[in-house]
């Protein structure tokens, strides 16, 4: 009797065979498939560093590229890292802009300072604005040149017109008014009116000499030295203007019949600036002047000129003596001494003049006698000590026949109207 076998433990037995399905008789047998191998796990390895071969030199960067941004992978294909399209735009230097603006405004010293600072910083930071800084420096130099030229022209003008900076006058001045000019800028022969209220200043209104006017300028005389004080400055002005009449007028006697000399006294500031100048003018004896008083040689005959040149010196000295009796007795005595000498010289010259036979020769002889008499009176005047004594001598001189005889011969020569 056969004993049935017990089932074995699966652990001890092999895997049970799976029966293959039956193959149809008409089908071709398929090739037996190879068993698929299980994929082996990939070993984790660190990526190799990307580096360029030592033997291969680094390629030169193209324009606009930066060195060090190129690399070559192991495969040999060169690749580039992302890069910007171009460098960022540089900013404009603020000091350069400031230098240019200040140069336009003629603030040269500040513009130069900003321009120099801008150029130094631009050279260090490669900022824009170098052209602006240079333009600011050029403008500053141009303004400096203009200033120097203006100073030179101003100095030349002041040198040619000493009273231009400060109106010279013996009285306080007033500022200029529209249409008015300084006497310092006028030429000899100019006629003018005084400012409102007839203030004596350096500002006047120029008018035509053929219409009524207050003054006529006939000379400008320069002074040297320091300021001598108000009284002495006025005395010097009077003397130089009296002397200028003899140089500028052929017939001072005829001038003094219609006008009197008036001098503008230089100011202390003009003396300090070495620009002291007396302005000698003529004013009407009573009221305004009505004609041009300047004289020319062609206006006189030979006989007239001979007589005028003979009597010119005594005429001027006599005028100076009578005008300084009050207030400057010492100067008046000096004039008297000069007059005594001039009278004697004039008497000799008058007797030597060749007048044609007629009344002129007789009047010339009479004036010669009057001159000698006046010389004695002038000697007496030089010894007076008070103004009262001086006035008494002046009265006796005025009562002499000299004035009448001179007027007579002037009529005969055609110098005065009958």
């Amino acid at each position: 009797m056969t004993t049935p076998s017990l089932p074995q433990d699966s652990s001890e037995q092999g895997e049970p065979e799976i029966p293959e399905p039956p193959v149809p008789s008409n089908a071709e047998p398929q090739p037996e498939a190879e068993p698929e191998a299980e994929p082996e796990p990939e070993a984790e390895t660190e990526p190799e560093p990307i580096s360029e071969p030592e033997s291969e030199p680094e390629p030169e960067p193209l324009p606009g590229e930066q060195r060090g941004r190129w690399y070559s992978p192991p495969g040999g294909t060169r690749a580039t890292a992302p890069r910007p399209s171009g460098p960022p735009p540089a900013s404009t230097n603020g000091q350069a802009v400031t230098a240019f603006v200040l140069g336009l405004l003629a603030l040269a010293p500040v513009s130069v300072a900003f321009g120099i600072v801008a150029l130094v910083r631009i050279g260090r930071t490669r900022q824009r604005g170098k052209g602006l800084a240079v333009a600011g420096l050029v403008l500053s130099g141009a303004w400096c040149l203009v200033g120097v030229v203006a100073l030179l022209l101003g100095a030349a003008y002041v040198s040619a017109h000493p009273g231009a900076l400060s109106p010279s006058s013996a009285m306080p001045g007033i500022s200029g008014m529209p249409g008015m000019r300084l006497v310092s800028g006028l030429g000899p022969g100019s006629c003018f009116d005084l400012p409102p209220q007839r203030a004596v200043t350096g500002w006047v209104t120029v008018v035509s000499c053929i219409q009524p006017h207050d003054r006529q300028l006939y000379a400008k005389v320069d002074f040297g030295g320091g300021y001598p004080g108000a009284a002495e400055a006025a005395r010097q002005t009077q003397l130089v203007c009296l002397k200028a009449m003899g140089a500028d007028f052929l017939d001072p006697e005829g001038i003094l019949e219609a006008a009197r000399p008036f001098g503008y006294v230089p100011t202390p500031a003009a003396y300090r600036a070495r620009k002291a100048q007396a302005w000698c003018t003529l004013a009407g004896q009573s009221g305004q002047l009505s004609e041009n008083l300047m004289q020319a040689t062609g206006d006189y005959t030979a006989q007239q000129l001979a007589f005028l040149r003979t009597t010119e010196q005594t005429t001027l000295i006599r005028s100076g003596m009578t005008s300084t009796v009050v207030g400057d007795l010492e100067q008046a005595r000096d004039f008297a001494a000069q007059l005594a000498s001039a009278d004697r010289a004039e008497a000799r010259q008058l007797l030597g003049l060749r007048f044609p036979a007629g009344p002129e020769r007789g009047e010339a002889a009479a004036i010669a006698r009057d001159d000698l008499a006046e010389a004695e009176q002038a000697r007496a005047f030089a010894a007076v000590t008070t103004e009262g004594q001086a006035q008494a001598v002046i009265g006796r001189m005025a009562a002499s026949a000299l004035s009448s005889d001179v007027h007579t011969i002037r009529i005969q020569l055609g110098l005065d109207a009958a």
Side-chain angles (χ1 to χ4, degrees):
M1 182 173 187
T2 303
T3 306
S5 60
L6 298 172
Q8 298 180 358
D9 191 295
S10 63
S11 60
E12 295 180 1
Q13 299 180 359
E15 293 181 357
E17 296 181 358
I18 301 173
E20 297 179 359
V23 181
S25 60
N26 61 349
E28 294 181 358
Q30 294 182 356
E32 197 170 328
E34 295 181 359
E36 293 182 359
E38 292 182 6
E40 296 180 0
E42 295 182 2
E44 294 183 1
T45 59
E46 295 182 358
E48 294 183 2
I50 299 174
S51 62
E52 296 178 353
E54 295 181 359
S55 60
E56 188 174 340
E58 181 181 0
E60 292 294 329
L62 296 175
E65 296 178 335
Q66 298 183 3
R67 182 178 295 275
R69 301 185 67 87
W70 293 87
Y71 67 92
S72 298
T77 302
R78 188 174 67 177
T80 58
R83 62 181 183 271
S85 59
S91 61
T92 303
N93 186 272
Q95 283 82 7
V97 177
T98 304
F100 179 71
V101 174
L102 293 176
L104 289 175
L105 297 177
L107 300 176
V110 185
S111 177
V112 169
F114 274 96
I116 294 174
V117 172
L119 290 176
V120 172
R121 292 191 177 181
I122 289 172
R124 189 169 61 246
T125 62
R126 304 298 180 187
Q127 289 179 294
R128 294 185 300 174
K130 183 177 180 180
L132 291 174
V134 173
L137 293 175
V138 172
L139 288 171
S140 300
W143 282 116
C144 290
L145 181 62
V146 171
V148 171
V149 172
L151 287 176
L152 293 177
L153 293 177
Y157 179 81
V158 172
S159 178
H161 305 84
L165 295 180
S166 57
S168 301
S169 72
M171 297 176 61
I174 62 173
S175 59
M177 299 176 63
M180 302 184 72
R181 296 177 58 186
L182 280 169
V183 178
S184 61
L186 305 181
S190 300
C191 299
F192 56 86
D193 286 335
L194 298 176
Q197 289 77 47
R198 302 185 64 81
V200 182
T201 73
W203 293 97
V204 297
T205 301
V206 179
V207 297
S208 173
C209 293
I210 62 175
Q211 69 182 54
H213 51 275
D214 295 330
R215 299 277 193 276
Q216 182 169 13
L217 178 70
Y218 67 88
K220 294 191 290 188
V221 184
D222 294 327
F223 284 142
Y227 181 58
E232 180 62 18
R235 188 184 73 86
Q236 291 179 3
T237 298
Q238 183 181 30
L239 294 179
V240 298
C241 287
L242 188 64
K243 185 177 180 180
M245 286 194 69
D248 296 333
F249 294 105
L250 296 170
D251 184 13
E253 177 75 23
I255 294 294
L256 293 174
E257 289 178 358
R260 56 186 174 84
F262 180 89
Y264 285 75
V265 182
T267 62
Y271 276 97
R272 288 193 296 269
R274 306 287 183 182
K275 302 295 183 181
Q277 188 180 65
W279 305 333
C280 303
T281 68
L282 295 172
Q285 290 285 9
S286 58
Q288 291 183 303
L289 300 172
S290 58
E291 60 180 338
N292 185 0
L293 297 178
M294 303 304 289
Q295 300 167 346
T297 305
D299 298 335
Y300 301 94
T301 65
Q303 286 187 352
Q304 289 174 336
L305 288 174
F307 175 76
L308 292 175
R309 288 166 181 161
T310 301
T311 60
E312 175 188 69
Q313 191 71 13
T314 57
T315 299
L316 294 175
I317 296 174
R318 192 178 297 114
S319 174
M321 184 182 71
T322 55
S323 63
T324 56
V325 169
V326 178
D328 195 354
L329 184 58
E330 183 178 355
Q331 181 61 55
R333 286 199 297 264
D334 183 62
F335 275 129
Q338 296 179 42
L339 181 61
S341 176
D343 273 334
R344 289 189 288 269
E346 182 179 289
R348 292 191 297 270
Q349 292 174 8
L350 284 172
L351 294 176
L353 289 179
R354 295 182 178 179
F355 288 113
E360 294 89 353
R361 182 178 298 180
E363 287 297 331
I367 294 174
R369 290 190 299 270
D370 295 335
D371 283 338
L372 295 176
E374 185 181 61
E376 294 301 319
Q377 295 288 346
R379 288 179 56 190
F381 187 96
V384 300
T385 56
T386 64
E387 287 188 7
Q389 295 173 345
Q391 292 285 7
V393 176
I394 291 294
R396 290 195 295 271
M397 293 173 64
S400 69
L402 177 61
S403 178
S404 175
D405 291 338
V406 169
H407 181 62
T408 299
I409 197 172
R410 286 179 63 85
I411 293 175
Q412 293 171 348
L413 292 173
L415 294 171
D416 287 347

